[in-house]
Amino acid sequence: MRRPPTIRRACVACLFLCLTVSAPAQASTAPATTPTSAAIAPSLSPDRPGAKAMLDLGITYSGGAQGVPTPVRKSVLQLPAGLTLDVPRLRSCRGAVLRADGPRACPPQSRIGGGQALAEVHAGSQLLTEHVALFAFLGPPRKDRPTFEILGEGRTPLHERVLLSGVALPDAAPYGEELVLSIPPIPTLPLEPDASLRKLSLRIGARPTRGHAKTANSVLVPSHCPPSGLPFAASFRYADGSSGSATATVPCEGTSSSVAQPAAHGARTVAFTEVGHLRATAKHEFTLVEQGPASGTFAGTIYVRLTLVSTSRATAEIRIVHGGGSITAHATASYKRSRSSASFSGTMSITGGSGAYAHVHGSGLHFGGTMQQSNDALTVQMSGGISD
């Protein structure tokens, strides 16, 4: 018998429970119902502090009415502080495009991961299952906050697409970010329960390969690993009104340490201090392009390309032009937002120079500043010791 399309769509939509982790839920009053529970298995590869890695998340659900887990309506997945998505070339894909034309319609740089899921639903006395392919993409920013789009495609018997959008928000220690996902009811047939998820596996990031290490999307492992491991947590709400939470930890190898930079023999080291007051000249999704005058060691013009790579981390490409030459640098920084402004603080390395500054170099320099939310005006401070 041909499966009704409504059942097919419901099964596909269950994939969006993939970012949900859960602990035992309260049992409903319906007969033959046991509490829904789930086991979460996050892992990082490699798990070395500071490494670019892949995050694998596996979840297996059990319990529920007639052995089918109770559907989840909302989940919040909390990630350990310092664990961020590293996207060298930020691009986004709009949900409408993804829904209409599928994964191939999105820029390759916008894809952040994928996986598979197994969905189940009772239709009468029959238990129907569906294998679902998952495709995860970076969505357009929402008030400068990163969003994500997850597409599910059923493999058989019909080709159907279902889409859910989520948002990444800052979180309090020991967590750094939380992924918030609202899941609407997934109806099947009249008088039949909503569809549910049985198993899933989702991988975020890709293993950098030779020749593509600088362009591959990956997950940046925190530079410090607590002795107890990296903490993951989640809160969730079920369709029957119950709620719960769960935690998990991921061990990682080694500990963070400071690596001293060797001194340049025969080079002259001088103090470097620069302050710039910049205005925005262009803005595209996650990237701001700014320029303005600087005062300090070089007192020239500063050009900054600031990119938000997560809700808590930013990168910047800097160019300082003065007199007979210029200096280029790269910076990474933590990023925090308040009601009216955002602040960032991190480190900067000089990557090149021209003219009179062709031989200038330096690393471990301070890079920080603030940005006004109203007009994107940027104030930057740079300091440290540089050599020529």
Side-chain angles (χ1 to χ4, degrees):
M1 177 181 294
R2 184 182 181 89
R3 184 187 302 177
T6 54
I7 295 296
R8 173 64 188 80
R9 295 189 183 94
C11 290
V12 175
C14 291
L15 67 94
F16 295 122
L17 305 182
C18 66
L19 293 181
T20 305
V21 296
S22 61
Q26 300 174 6
S28 72
T29 59
T33 298
T34 57
T36 297
S37 62
I40 176 175
S43 64
L44 290 164
S45 178
D47 56 7
R48 183 178 65 257
K52 292 185 176 182
M54 298 178 295
L55 171 63
D56 286 292
L57 179 64
I59 305 175
T60 302
Y61 284 84
S62 60
Q66 298 179 296
V68 175
T70 304
V72 178
R73 292 291 176 255
K74 182 179 180 180
S75 68
V76 180
L77 176 64
Q78 296 173 281
L79 304 177
L83 185 75
T84 58
L85 183 66
D86 188 73
V87 184
R89 298 180 181 177
L90 276 172
R91 296 289 301 277
S92 68
C93 183
R94 297 186 178 277
V97 173
L98 189 58
R99 186 199 302 271
D101 301 321
R104 294 185 178 181
C106 296
Q109 299 91 336
S110 66
R111 183 167 177 176
I112 58 175
Q116 56 187 355
L118 176 65
E120 294 181 346
V121 64
H122 268 291
S125 60
Q126 291 186 324
L127 176 64
L128 303 179
T129 61
E130 183 72 29
H131 293 274
V132 180
L134 311 179
F135 305 89
F137 292 84
L138 204 62
R142 185 186 305 170
K143 295 182 179 180
D144 293 331
R145 302 186 190 277
T147 66
F148 56 92
E149 309 282 355
I150 302 176
L151 179 74
E153 288 191 336
R155 298 173 180 174
T156 57
L158 301 174
H159 185 74
E160 289 284 343
R161 294 175 179 143
V162 181
L163 185 73
L164 186 72
S165 299
V167 62
L169 302 174
D171 202 359
Y175 308 104
E177 292 181 339
E178 60 181 23
L179 306 180
V180 181
L181 191 66
S182 296
I183 306 163
I186 311 299
T188 55
L189 293 177
L191 305 180
E192 297 294 345
D194 295 334
S196 300
L197 182 72
R198 171 63 65 183
K199 296 180 180 180
L200 72 87
S201 60
L202 184 68
R203 170 170 289 180
I204 300 298
R207 189 182 300 277
T209 58
R210 186 173 182 179
H212 297 86
K214 294 183 178 181
T215 60
N217 295 342
S218 60
V219 173
L220 186 64
V221 181
S223 58
H224 172 71
C225 182
S228 58
L230 298 172
F232 289 76
S235 60
F236 57 93
R237 179 166 51 85
Y238 284 112
D240 62 4
S242 62
S243 61
S245 62
T247 60
T249 57
V250 174
C252 53
E253 297 180 358
T255 58
S256 61
S257 60
S258 300
V259 180
Q261 299 294 328
H265 297 286
R268 180 176 62 98
T269 301
V270 298
F272 164 71
T273 302
E274 206 75 21
V275 177
H277 299 280
L278 318 181
R279 61 179 179 84
T281 59
K283 183 176 183 179
H284 179 67
E285 295 190 333
F286 306 93
T287 300
L288 270 175
V289 180
E290 307 246 351
Q291 75 174 67
S295 59
T297 304
F298 296 99
T301 301
I302 297 181
Y303 301 84
V304 174
R305 182 180 181 89
L306 184 71
T307 300
L308 181 66
V309 297
S310 77
T311 56
S312 61
R313 182 170 171 267
T315 63
E317 302 298 330
I318 305 113
R319 184 167 179 251
I320 305 173
V321 179
H322 172 72
S326 65
I327 293 173
T328 57
H330 175 78
T332 60
S334 60
Y335 178 87
K336 295 181 180 179
R337 285 188 50 158
S338 64
R339 183 177 298 273
S340 60
S341 64
S343 62
F344 49 93
S345 178
T347 59
M348 180 181 81
S349 296
I350 294 176
T351 57
S354 66
Y357 312 112
H359 301 290
V360 171
H361 59 275
S363 61
L365 308 175
H366 169 72
F367 175 81
T370 58
M371 181 179 66
Q372 300 301 313
Q373 300 290 346
S374 59
N375 57 5
D376 296 325
L378 188 67
T379 300
V380 294
Q381 299 99 28
M382 295 164 278
S383 62
I386 62 174
S387 302
D388 57 13

